[in-house]
Amino acid sequence: MSARTERQVIARLQTGIPNLDAILHGGLPKGVMTVLAGPPGSGKTILAQQICFHHIAQGGRVLYFNTLSEPTAKTLLYLRPFAFFDPAKLDDGIRFIDLGTMLRNQGLELTSNLLMDHLKQFKPSMVVIDSFKVFDDLSHSNEELRKFTYELAVRLMAWECTSFLLGEYSPELFEHPAYSAIDGIMVAKQQEISGEQQRLLKVVKMRGTSHSREDHPFVITDAGVEVYAPSITLRREAGMLRGQGATPRMRTGISRLDDLLGEGIPLGSSIIASGVAGSGKTILGLEFLYRGAREHGERGLYFSFEETEERLRATARGLGWELDRELERGTVQLVFIPQTDILVDRDILEMQRRVAAFGARRVVVDSMSVFLHRIEDKRIVRDKVFWLANIMQNHQAVGFFSNDVPAGTSQLTRFGVEETVMDGILHLSWEKEGLDRHRYLEVLKLRNTAHARGRHSVTIGAGGFCIYPRIEEAPPPEPRVPLAPRRARVSFGVPGLDALLDGGLLEGSVSLVSGSPGTGKSTLGLHFALEAARRGERALYLALDEEPTQLLQAAEALELPLREAMEAGQVDVLYLPREHLHAARALPIVENRIRELGPSRVVLDSASDIEVRGLVSEELRQLLHALVLRLRTLGVTSLFTLEARSLYVTDALSERGLSPLADNIFMFRYAREEGLLVPMLTVVKTRGSGHDRGSHRFTLGKGGLRLGGGSGNRASSSGVGPKPRRRPAPKRGRRK
């Protein structure tokens, strides 16, 4: 070993105070003389006594000099409640000596001689003088005190003793005449921080070591003194996991959330779930743990500062989750820390300890804004958030940190600094729309991940979170079958109607039926679905206007076998009531049912019920466009009905800009003939097929919809005037 290396090695003593050795970068240098300064009640005596008993447990011997005339019996009385106190070590391991009487009667010189006599007899490796400030009061001058301290330091060094001089010195003033002979100064104090009284420990000076110079909170419990220094202990762990190559990722298991998060959340990430009260942050965090335990076998820790364990259990039961079972299995732990008991640095280290001991892969802190609510300095908030994130990184866990934001503001987080430290932000909103409120989720940030953009609709109910990805962000399904170059024809199931279309609809096409109220749009949809059942296929009927019971009654009045087809499982009616329907949620609901059923035909009755404020919104157009793309990809032939604004036949189609979505457009209107309203059908458009361009009367009755009836089959397209004018026979439409 080189001489340079030898000079760097300093023997150290472990203090036995949690985290104090880390603050001292390895422990207390052996043989140093250290002042423990602080006002009465700051904890310096307990600190010194705990170090002494730990030193004895390591094989050392301690002389503890008391200068305040406190009987040894009283000192021991106060020591007994502490876990570190061992009465078996008295006399042989530690001796308490009272110097008070000698000091008052004989002065410094004779007291110094008495102290040396005890050192020669007991041969200690550690000495404590409590309180050394008494020597200040009894010395006649600063020079005398300086001389006494210097001689004491020399003699203790000769005996290779590590010593502590306790005193009620001011933490702000260190111009003591004896301090030139002192190797180290540690200060204990009490201070109000953000409305809370805290004990703090600071190492001001320590020769032979590069120590932390920060104020570190500490507490005194039955176990003794515990110092909290996350900025030291967590930083030392941070380097352990560097350089491991590509980072694996985590799937949350929450409905469609993984679709929004791209490849998944990189392990070691910290995610903020921010939002106003009631937006679902607690449920999102709880489901994150539950899905991880139940579906992936990953252990999860939930730190709650607001909800008790029983309330969290009750929430899970109300959502239909078997969280109690996961708690019994030991895959999930709920830790409740009342808001009034929060001590930030202590709790950060407690989180780190629990994450490490439990082997947690998923961690939820609910909420971070409550946890840090007493801290007013944003710089300190940033530091604490950094150490919380560091815990996740150190243990390759994923952390969800709920964060309350004030209602009515544009803030993304409570303090305004968290988003720069954390790896991701999930923003939850809870907005009023008309007479109702709707929830949304937006992925604002996720480092190193290509995530979905924009807001996505959310509902919370049985099963937990249900997310409806924004239309342009939802990936299309894989094609079920490739489309043949020449597609087959699909029958409507209405006598005479197929003939107007050169034999029927093209397979996989989309038809839009724009109709006046009562003209038979729904009946046409029933024919279309029942024709699939007659051919041994399946159909899905999406009812947005009529409940299944009403639909069955209407079908039975027309003698259409809808009930039989439903009982046979050939026609499935999915009712989506308009009061509960949100445009952004319709597509995932429909798509899931299509995947489950595998229909060849789909009827949507009616698309008008997805509209917002009575107009065709851009959201509706996007929804129908996305649905059309999915249906075409799957080779499904579909029919959409749409309520028309016009009652009578006019020059305007009134399909409100939706024609580009449809391959075929049918117009159902009334014409006035001799004081009567006569329903008329016109094939306005067919893509890739010829069609009859005339307007045709039809009737509704037993058996459903039938072309013809009244005074003839053809009618005026205008429908205006007392008598219809006859026209020449229409030309056949050219193929597009």
Side-chain angles (χ1 to χ4, degrees):
M1 181 181 294
S2 67
R4 182 173 182 271
T5 304
E6 289 178 355
R7 287 197 300 271
Q8 292 177 339
V9 177
I10 298 178
R12 294 180 181 269
L13 299 178
Q14 302 301 301
T15 65
I17 308 292
N19 301 311
L20 180 55
D21 293 331
I23 293 172
L24 295 169
H25 286 197
L28 194 70
K30 186 176 180 181
V32 297
M33 176 179 284
T34 303
V35 169
L36 277 178
S42 57
K44 54 187 180 299
T45 297
I46 300 299
L47 181 70
Q49 290 171 345
Q50 186 171 345
I51 293 173
C52 290
F53 275 90
H54 180 77
H55 183 63
I56 296 167
Q58 304 304 309
R61 290 162 66 84
V62 177
L63 271 177
Y64 196 104
F65 293 102
N66 199 319
T67 66
L68 299 177
S69 301
E70 183 178 81
T72 301
K74 193 173 182 180
T75 301
L76 297 179
L77 178 65
Y78 293 138
L79 270 173
R80 291 186 187 280
F82 293 103
F84 63 78
F85 174 67
D86 184 0
K89 302 298 182 181
L90 296 176
D91 291 332
D92 289 337
I94 182 170
R95 284 186 184 177
F96 291 89
I97 309 296
D98 181 16
L99 293 178
T101 303
M102 174 67 74
L103 274 171
R104 286 191 297 272
N105 297 331
Q106 304 297 331
L108 295 183
E109 185 175 353
L110 291 179
T111 302
S112 177
N113 294 334
L114 177 62
L115 192 149
M116 289 301 107
D117 289 342
H118 283 290
L119 287 175
K120 294 175 183 178
Q121 294 174 13
F122 192 68
K123 297 181 175 58
S125 53
M126 183 174 288
V127 172
V128 177
I129 300 178
D130 184 11
S131 153
F132 190 75
K133 194 171 185 302
V134 173
F135 293 89
D136 293 17
D137 301 332
L138 296 178
S139 62
H140 296 95
S141 66
N142 289 340
E143 183 179 350
E144 182 183 8
L145 178 62
R146 186 180 294 110
K147 180 181 178 181
F148 170 77
T149 307
Y150 177 77
E151 290 178 353
L152 178 64
V154 170
R155 292 181 179 184
L156 290 174
M157 185 182 297
W159 285 94
E160 297 183 348
C161 284
T162 303
S163 54
F164 293 93
L165 310 182
L166 279 59
E168 294 77 20
Y169 302 109
S170 171
E172 288 77 22
L173 298 174
F174 291 108
E175 298 178 357
H176 192 278
Y179 281 1
S180 59
I182 300 300
D183 301 302
I185 302 173
M186 292 194 291
V187 177
K189 61 182 178 179
Q190 295 189 76
Q191 182 176 326
E192 183 177 299
I193 300 177
S194 301
E196 181 183 40
Q197 284 290 332
Q198 290 190 21
R199 284 188 166 99
L200 301 172
L201 180 68
K202 181 177 183 178
V203 180
V204 178
K205 169 187 176 182
M206 188 62 64
R207 287 176 180 156
T209 185
S210 174
H211 56 83
S212 167
R213 288 169 172 77
E214 301 175 19
D215 283 328
H216 299 283
F218 70 94
V219 296
I220 299 176
T221 67
D222 291 345
V225 173
E226 183 172 0
V227 182
Y228 305 118
S231 59
I232 302 298
T233 56
L234 294 182
R235 182 185 294 125
R236 296 183 74 185
E237 294 179 7
M240 297 180 182
L241 297 171
R242 294 175 184 168
Q244 292 184 344
T247 303
R249 294 175 180 263
M250 175 183 289
R251 310 294 284 178
T252 68
I254 299 174
S255 162
R256 306 303 294 273
L257 178 58
D258 289 321
D259 293 342
L260 306 181
L261 298 179
E263 302 173 79
I265 303 174
L267 294 185
S269 296
S270 296
I271 310 297
I272 295 176
S274 69
V276 298
S279 55
K281 303 182 296 297
T282 295
I283 293 176
L284 181 66
L286 202 57
E287 184 167 1
F288 172 65
L289 288 197
Y290 175 66
R291 300 296 175 196
R294 185 173 183 271
E295 299 171 14
H296 301 286
E298 295 172 337
R299 293 188 168 192
L301 271 170
Y302 194 106
F303 295 97
S304 173
F305 301 98
E306 298 179 271
E307 301 286 348
T308 63
E309 178 177 340
E310 185 49 46
R311 286 175 64 90
L312 292 172
R313 284 174 178 258
T315 297
R317 294 187 203 110
L319 294 168
W321 300 337
E322 296 180 336
L323 182 61
D324 292 325
R325 178 173 175 270
E326 298 304 325
L327 289 164
E328 292 170 2
R329 289 178 56 204
T331 56
V332 173
Q333 287 185 0
L334 305 178
V335 181
F336 174 57
I337 301 173
Q339 182 174 330
T340 54
D341 295 347
I342 293 173
L343 185 58
V344 173
D345 283 352
R346 176 198 65 192
D347 294 333
I348 288 177
L349 291 175
E350 176 65 9
M351 291 178 195
Q352 188 272 341
R353 186 190 68 78
R354 283 182 174 268
V355 170
F358 190 54
R361 264 290 185 259
R362 302 184 180 216
V363 180
V364 175
V365 176
D366 184 21
S367 71
M368 184 165 63
S369 47
V370 172
F371 179 53
L372 302 176
H373 77 284
R374 289 196 181 100
I375 302 177
E376 297 174 354
D377 191 331
K378 290 186 177 181
R379 294 172 299 176
I380 299 177
V381 170
R382 188 191 298 271
D383 288 344
K384 305 310 178 187
V385 172
F386 175 79
W387 297 123
L388 287 171
N390 228 39
I391 294 173
M392 305 305 126
Q393 180 183 341
N394 288 345
H395 298 283
Q396 289 294 276
V398 171
F400 265 42
F401 298 83
S402 68
N403 196 306
D404 300 313
V405 297
T409 69
S410 58
Q411 290 180 220
L412 297 178
T413 56
R414 168 64 69 171
F415 303 102
V417 297
E418 306 94 306
E419 59 265 38
T420 62
V421 178
M422 293 295 194
D423 301 296
I425 302 176
L426 302 180
H427 185 253
L428 299 167
S429 54
W430 178 226
E431 300 177 9
K432 187 175 181 180
E433 296 179 5
L435 299 178
D436 200 0
R437 281 190 175 271
H438 294 280
R439 290 184 170 93
Y440 294 93
L441 181 147
E442 184 174 4
V443 184
L444 295 178
K445 170 185 175 182
L446 186 57
R447 284 186 179 133
N448 304 317
T449 304
H451 56 80
R453 300 167 300 161
R455 298 193 314 166
H456 309 273
S457 183
V458 171
T459 60
I460 298 175
F465 255 68
C466 190
I467 300 172
Y468 303 87
R470 210 159 60 110
I471 295 163
E472 56 267 35
E473 296 291 346
E478 293 295 325
R480 191 166 61 195
V481 291
L483 295 178
R486 297 184 63 184
R487 293 181 286 174
R489 294 281 177 173
V490 175
S491 174
F492 251 116
V494 177
L497 182 54
D498 293 339
L500 304 181
L501 306 169
D502 277 359
L505 300 171
L506 287 175
E507 185 180 35
S509 63
V510 178
S511 298
L512 182 65
V513 180
S514 172
S516 305
T519 50
K521 303 181 298 298
S522 298
T523 303
L524 182 63
L526 288 175
H527 277 289
F528 183 68
L530 290 171
E531 179 64 15
R534 191 183 70 81
R535 294 172 177 269
E537 301 169 357
R538 289 180 174 179
L540 174 61
Y541 193 104
L542 304 170
L544 278 65
D545 191 25
E546 294 182 286
E547 296 181 7
T549 302
Q550 293 175 296
L551 202 61
L552 282 169
Q553 290 174 349
E556 289 172 352
L558 296 171
E559 297 183 353
L560 296 176
L562 178 60
R563 185 181 298 276
E564 292 81 355
M566 290 176 64
E567 291 174 350
Q570 294 176 304
V571 175
D572 183 30
V573 177
L574 174 60
Y575 177 52
L576 301 173
R578 69 175 70 186
E579 61 269 19
H580 298 302
L581 183 66
H582 193 276
R585 302 171 194 158
L587 180 61
I589 293 173
V590 172
E591 189 174 336
N592 288 340
R593 187 60 66 92
I594 290 174
R595 287 174 175 172
E596 294 170 2
L597 186 66
S600 62
R601 304 186 185 200
V602 170
V603 177
L604 176 62
D605 183 26
S606 93
S608 304
D609 290 305
I610 315 177
E611 297 182 50
V612 178
R613 298 187 182 96
L615 300 173
V616 177
S617 65
E618 184 60 29
E619 192 172 17
L620 171 60
R621 289 193 183 93
Q622 292 177 359
L623 168 65
L624 295 180
H625 180 68
L627 182 56
V628 166
L629 288 178
R630 280 155 175 74
L631 293 173
R632 283 178 175 156
T633 302
L634 294 171
V636 176
T637 309
S638 56
L639 184 148
F640 294 15
T641 70
L642 183 68
E643 193 78 16
R645 297 174 183 172
S646 173
L647 184 65
Y648 301 103
V649 175
T650 65
D651 291 335
L653 178 59
S654 297
E655 45 72 56
R656 285 165 277 184
L658 298 178
S659 60
L661 301 177
D663 300 303
N664 315 301
I665 299 178
F666 301 87
M667 184 172 69
F668 281 35
R669 297 290 191 275
Y670 289 108
R672 291 181 292 183
E673 296 185 3
E674 300 178 353
L676 299 176
L677 291 178
V678 179
M680 310 293 292
L681 181 152
T682 305
V683 182
V684 178
K685 165 188 172 182
T686 59
R687 184 177 286 147
S689 174
H691 66 273
D692 188 310
R693 295 183 180 276
S695 295
H696 304 267
R697 296 182 180 89
F698 63 89
T699 60
L700 292 172
K702 302 296 183 183
L705 189 150
R706 294 181 182 278
L707 288 182
S711 59
N713 191 38
R714 294 286 176 85
S716 160
S717 61
S718 66
V720 179
K723 293 182 180 180
R725 295 179 295 171
R726 294 192 176 273
R727 284 184 158 184
K731 296 180 180 179
R732 310 295 286 182
R734 64 185 177 88
R735 295 181 181 272
K736 294 187 179 181

